[in-house]
Amino acid sequence: MTHKSLIILTSIILITSGFFIIIDIGKSDEAVKPKFYVDDDYDSSTPGWGIDHFDNINSAITASSSGDRIIVNNGTYVERITIPHQLDIFGEDKDTTIISGDDVGDVIIINAVNVNISGFTIKDSGTANNNSIILINSDRATITDTKITSGKNGITIKNSNNNIIYDNIITENSGTGIYLDNSDNNQITYNSVTENTNGIFLHDSSSNEIENNSAIKLNSINGIFLNETCNSNNIANNNISSNTHNGIFPVSYTHLTLPTKRIV
């Protein structure tokens, strides 16, 4: 499983001869031990069955508490998932750990802060205009090292702030690849966003960072679209090419930062 470590600084105070010495120690998220394991081959003969070992992700979420970590082994999991509290959900390998929504509704709905998802292929949402592979309804989620495909919209961030969409492949969705609606201060970086309708679409969303994306291309309308209610978004150092209508289409350039290093 590949995921990026988040660094938490802790402090140790030593009292020696009346002096205080503060030592900062970097503590990786590897110190958070997995509490639940999922494998579609587990069954009632598996040690820990129904306690901390499950054959589907929803059962592990139901058993979990805020702050827990769930490890999902290679396999195909046909289920729609709602995340109600802070969790890490990490797949073993994005190419072989697959979550399918079976063409119904949203595949994953995030309703809690500080949710981390990494290491999956997630696919097959419903086809209604508001359906998404991942729907983020809360703040500070991180989606990384994940392939998001064959849905209506790839990732929708709705009324939510300070989320990170990092190092993903978002491709072949019949709607928008990444859609921000009334959402601010989100980071969209180091992704490949290809063969959607609009690659990235911002509505009433401000102060977002869209930077260093390796490919925003081959989308059938625009690479990036911003409507007139968007302000102070930064678009820099992206590879934007071969989109049918426009590379970047803001209704107005007044509140858009486009550094000279962009590639259009």
Side-chain angles (χ1 to χ4, degrees):
M1 177 189 62
T2 302
H3 63 278
K4 309 299 183 289
S5 293
L6 303 178
I7 303 300
I8 302 171
L9 294 180
T10 60
S11 295
I12 298 175
I13 301 176
L14 303 179
I15 305 174
T16 307
S17 302
F19 293 95
F20 291 87
I21 304 172
I22 300 178
I23 304 173
D24 286 332
I25 298 175
K27 183 180 180 183
S28 165
D29 72 338
E30 295 295 340
V32 179
K33 301 299 182 183
K35 190 168 182 180
F36 299 96
Y37 299 86
V38 177
D39 193 309
D40 58 354
D41 292 326
Y42 288 160
D43 58 26
S44 58
S45 67
T46 302
W49 172 253
I51 300 171
D52 56 9
H53 286 66
F54 301 93
D55 64 357
N56 66 87
I57 299 167
N58 274 307
S59 293
I61 291 172
T62 298
S64 70
S65 301
S66 181
D68 285 342
R69 175 170 294 178
I70 299 170
I71 300 297
V72 183
N73 293 326
N74 293 337
T76 298
Y77 303 88
V78 180
E79 50 186 319
R80 296 167 61 205
I81 296 165
T82 298
I83 302 175
H85 48 249
Q86 177 185 347
L87 283 174
D88 296 338
I89 305 178
F90 295 152
E92 183 176 353
D93 185 293
K94 74 171 180 291
D95 294 320
T96 55
T97 312
I98 299 166
I99 302 172
S100 170
D102 203 26
D103 302 317
V104 178
D106 304 306
V107 184
I108 296 179
I109 301 174
I110 298 175
N111 288 334
V113 300
N114 296 318
V115 169
N116 298 312
I117 295 175
S118 176
F120 293 94
T121 290
I122 310 174
K123 64 178 187 174
D124 301 335
S125 75
T127 57
N129 287 335
N130 63 343
N131 287 157
S132 299
I133 299 291
I134 299 177
L135 172 60
I136 300 175
N137 289 324
S138 195
D139 300 341
R140 299 193 300 278
T142 298
I143 312 298
T144 187
D145 191 33
T146 289
K147 183 177 181 181
I148 295 167
T149 189
S150 302
K152 183 60 178 180
N153 301 299
I155 299 175
T156 296
I157 304 176
K158 190 173 182 64
N159 302 318
S160 301
N161 308 314
N162 300 300
N163 297 286
I164 297 173
I165 311 300
Y166 175 81
D167 190 27
N168 302 287
I169 299 169
I170 302 166
T171 188
E172 296 182 345
N173 298 288
S174 63
T176 295
I178 302 172
Y179 177 52
L180 275 65
D181 183 18
N182 191 34
S183 297
D184 303 333
N185 298 301
N186 299 284
Q187 297 179 37
I188 300 170
T189 59
Y190 296 97
N191 301 285
S192 172
V193 186
T194 63
E195 297 183 80
N196 308 283
T197 302
N198 288 288
I200 301 172
F201 191 115
L202 276 66
H203 173 263
D204 196 21
S205 297
S206 300
S207 301
N208 297 286
E209 303 287 334
I210 302 173
E211 297 184 346
N212 300 307
N213 293 288
S214 61
I216 303 174
K217 66 181 184 178
L218 300 174
N219 297 290
S220 63
I221 301 182
N222 302 295
I224 301 174
F225 178 91
L226 305 92
N227 82 334
E228 68 274 12
T229 60
C230 297
N231 293 287
S232 303
N233 293 286
N234 186 48
I235 301 174
N237 302 322
N238 301 286
N239 180 359
I240 306 173
S241 64
S242 303
N243 298 286
T244 301
H245 290 181
N246 302 283
I248 302 173
F249 186 82
V251 173
S252 170
Y253 281 93
T254 306
H255 299 294
L256 176 65
T257 301
L258 290 171
T260 56
K261 291 184 179 179
R262 76 188 189 280
I263 303 172
V264 181

